[in-house]
Amino acid sequence: MIRRVRTSRFVDLLLARSYLFPRPGPAQYTSILSDRCSGVSDSTAMEKPDGSKYVLLTEGRATVLYENENQVFYNPVQQFNRDLSTCAIRAWSEEYTEQRTATKRNQRKKRKLRNENQKGTAKDSQITEEGLQDHSESIEEAPEPNPKTGEGNAERGETQLAQAERKKAPFITILEALSATGLRAIRYGLEVPLIKTVHANDFSPAAVKAIERNIAYNDGASGVVVASHGDANAVMYSHKTMPFHVIDLDPYGTASPFLDAAVQAVCDGGLLLITCTDLSILAGTGYPEKCFTNYGGMTTRTEFSHESALRLVLSSIASAAARYGKAIEPLLSLSIDFYVRVFVRVRNSPIQAKLLASKTMLTYTCSGCGSSSYQPLGRVSINEDGSQKHSFAQGPPVSSHCEHCGFVHHLGGPMWAGPLHNKDFISRIQKITETLDPEIYKSIARIKGMLTLAKEELDDPFYFTAAHVSSTMRCSCPPMTTMTSALLNAGYRVSPTHAVPGAIKTNASWGVIWDILREWIKTNPVKESNIKEHSPTKKLLEKREPSFAVDFTMHPEANPPSRRIKIARYPQNPPNWGPKARAKGDKPFNNHKIQGQTGPLPDSPKPSEIGSKGDDSDRKKQKTS
């Protein structure tokens, strides 16, 4: 006999443990999800709290209330993260609206042309000479453009249609799956245009109560921002058929447990905003097994470890998306302080998803001198008819020992090999930042500096610093402009990077870099007593003459534009800028009351119904405190 369970508990079991129950019909499915899986609470019915009874904190256009600073998680250092995310969603929404308008315009043109062709075929046998004359006169006397339909003159019609699209009702839906205080979600609802609904979800009852209170306190947030209580993955999986336009994941630690659900719950052309704060695993070398477990790849002991961290996260997202015939496009990928933040567009494109192997690479890093090479996992060639042919890559690009110093190579990856940024998208954000009030967006100066650096970056993987290579050669460090001038004069491209001050990105090989240092030490000699017998330096200096004529003459582009203008490129962090400890709020599944409820939570299943302790430990990885 099958035990009957309540609808809420049934959905818990179905989503969390994938029990094989018959799937409900569309109407029943929608009703169940809206009532339980979203966990939406009636925050609009809550009266506005008395702010004098709480500690107030204002950021952007939102204000949050605190009873106890340890009750829910909040890190004020990440205001830069929230300011930048608001600008990025605005830039994405503008582009998404333009693309949607263009798609509708093309569909309208095709439909009109198809109807005209059908009418023309039916009337061909009936048109007389007078009819032809009248028809030609009607074409010559075309009506003026209709501002409501956008028909008429093509150029004016397109402009009017775009304006009409902008005036339409809000349509964008956002999910902040790990909302904590709801500050970020409330800011999105108040500061981003065309927002229909922002779902502020959290797994902690205390956090949900705080979200409801903050929504009620902020004028304009009620009705737009909605608090919900539930497991982040369950909420996202439940929206596979009703996807969000934007999903923001900002967990405490790694975001890897949420990626599979996120790529399925975002719409075609939608935006994922993902933060990972576990840089000790992503950019460090102490836990390679944990890095591979979380992200499906490993980094090595390199000075470009922060870019490797970005590429590992992007590779993990791309792999999760490709399983469902989706492809990603990194719009902006940043290494910031103690975390990485990526802004990724997801498209439903099985053809683009097949390119994942050619956009994934392994890295070979010398354990002695630090030289690096990379190997794509796949190869794509274009046939004469324009079709793509996928084949195996040829490799490896290096031997077992480094050609420069003779030390062994360390293998890293797999990781993302494609571009980290979309320059057009960055330009959109830059235009938006010019319209912002610095009193509201207090990190705007840093946003402008980091965006400028990201826009200047080359798409070539990885970077090096003059300090590191000169230390390997045991010589004095050449000025950055001297190093970049030598590379530019040799015909190579160079750029700075946002990740590390003083680092250089270039498409030059490591052989060219070492040759430049060999020429440098002719006028800046090395002390032979500092060179050990079996060191990488000894092997590098066996070849004294460079393989090409090195020119240190100052190049006009040796100083990038970001250095020639007054801009905060690498501002100093304030005191106590590091990550805060995990908050110590109440545990999930307790009897904490939520606004509008008088008893225990209806969605609190017994431990035996939600799985083993191992399953519950995964839930605790969410930002629940």
Side-chain angles (χ1 to χ4, degrees), residues 271-300:
L271 181 67
L272 291 181
L273 301 87
I274 297 175
T275 299
C276 293
T277 63
D278 56 337
L279 278 187
S280 61
I281 293 173
L282 273 171
T285 58
Y287 310 95
E289 73 288 349
K290 185 63 175 177
C291 187
F292 191 86
T293 300
N294 286 351
Y295 302 100
M298 295 182 292
T299 188
T300 55

Side-chain angles (χ1 to χ4, degrees), residues 15 36 93 189 212 220 253 268 312 334 364 366 376 386 398 472 490 559 606:
L15 295 176
R36 164 62 191 95
S93 65
E212 293 175 334
D268 184 17
L312 285 170
L334 300 175
Y364 297 84
C366 175
V398 296
T472 303
N559 265 326
K606 298 178 181 179

Side-chain angles (χ1 to χ4, degrees), residues 344-604:
V344 177
R345 178 159 43 214
V346 181
R347 296 191 183 279
N348 298 339
S349 177
I351 295 178
Q352 291 295 321
K354 294 178 181 178
L355 299 176
L356 179 60
S358 61
K359 294 181 179 180
T360 306
M361 66 180 178
L362 298 174
T363 63
Y364 297 84
T365 305
C366 175
S367 58
C369 64
S371 304
S372 63
S373 302
Y374 54 91
Q375 169 69 59
L377 293 183
R379 184 173 60 174
V380 179
S381 56
I382 307 299
N383 299 324
E384 294 181 357
D385 59 353
S387 61
Q388 297 177 345
K389 179 181 178 182
H390 300 266
S391 57
F392 298 101
Q394 299 177 358
V398 296
S399 62
S400 59
H401 290 72
C402 177
E403 63 176 315
H404 305 294
C405 69
F407 278 59
V408 297
H409 286 105
H410 288 167
L411 189 63
M415 62 181 67
W416 179 257
L420 297 178
H421 316 293
N422 181 310
K423 305 301 173 62
D424 294 335
F425 183 78
I426 295 176
S427 298
R428 283 181 178 270
I429 302 179
Q430 288 177 320
K431 291 180 180 179
I432 291 173
T433 58
E434 298 299 329
T435 65
L436 301 180
D437 184 356
E439 295 297 324
I440 298 177
Y441 295 84
K442 297 182 179 180
S443 63
I444 194 65
R446 188 182 183 189
I447 291 177
K448 291 180 178 179
M450 187 160 286
L451 290 177
T452 302
L453 287 168
K455 190 175 181 180
E456 290 179 346
E457 281 188 18
L458 297 177
D459 291 334
D460 299 87
F462 307 138
Y463 52 83
F464 73 95
T465 61
H468 174 78
V469 294
S470 60
S471 175
T472 303
M473 293 290 278
R474 296 293 189 270
C475 65
S476 60
C477 181
M480 182 177 178
T481 53
T482 301
M483 196 75 188
T484 55
S485 293
L487 290 166
L488 289 168
N489 291 330
Y492 298 100
R493 294 177 295 128
V494 299
S495 77
T497 176
H498 76 277
V500 177
I504 301 172
K505 299 196 75 171
T506 181
N507 61 337
S509 66
W510 275 94
V512 172
I513 296 172
W514 295 127
D515 280 343
I516 292 175
L517 267 295
R518 292 186 181 100
E519 184 69 22
W520 171 257
I521 63 177
K522 289 182 178 180
T523 55
N524 299 269
V526 177
K527 291 184 179 180
E528 298 293 337
S529 58
N530 293 338
I531 302 174
K532 296 183 179 180
E533 183 63 28
H534 300 289
S535 65
T537 309
K538 184 72 173 179
K539 187 70 175 180
L540 287 169
L541 291 179
E542 287 182 357
K543 179 184 176 182
R544 292 284 182 173
E545 291 297 324
S547 58
F548 68 99
V550 179
D551 183 7
F552 288 114
T553 304
M554 181 63 66
H555 194 277
E557 299 179 4
N559 265 326
S562 59
R563 294 187 67 183
R564 297 195 292 265
I565 60 178
K566 293 182 178 180
I567 193 170
R569 301 198 311 159
Y570 305 101
Q572 293 183 352
N573 290 311
N576 303 319
W577 61 272
K580 293 180 63 177
R582 185 189 293 268
K584 300 178 181 179
D586 60 329
K587 295 181 180 179
F589 290 150
N590 63 5
N591 290 336
H592 196 102
K593 295 181 180 180
I594 297 181
Q595 178 70 21
Q597 296 177 346
T598 58
L601 291 174
D603 54 348
S604 303

Side-chain angles (χ1 to χ4, degrees), residues 14 64 66 88 139 143 160 210 223 265 311 315 363-364 473 476 524 570 578 584 615:
L14 179 62
V64 292
Y66 285 96
I139 294 177
Q160 292 165 349
R311 295 185 179 277
S315 177
T363 63
Y364 297 84
M473 293 290 278
S476 60
N524 299 269
Y570 305 101
K584 300 178 181 179
D615 294 332

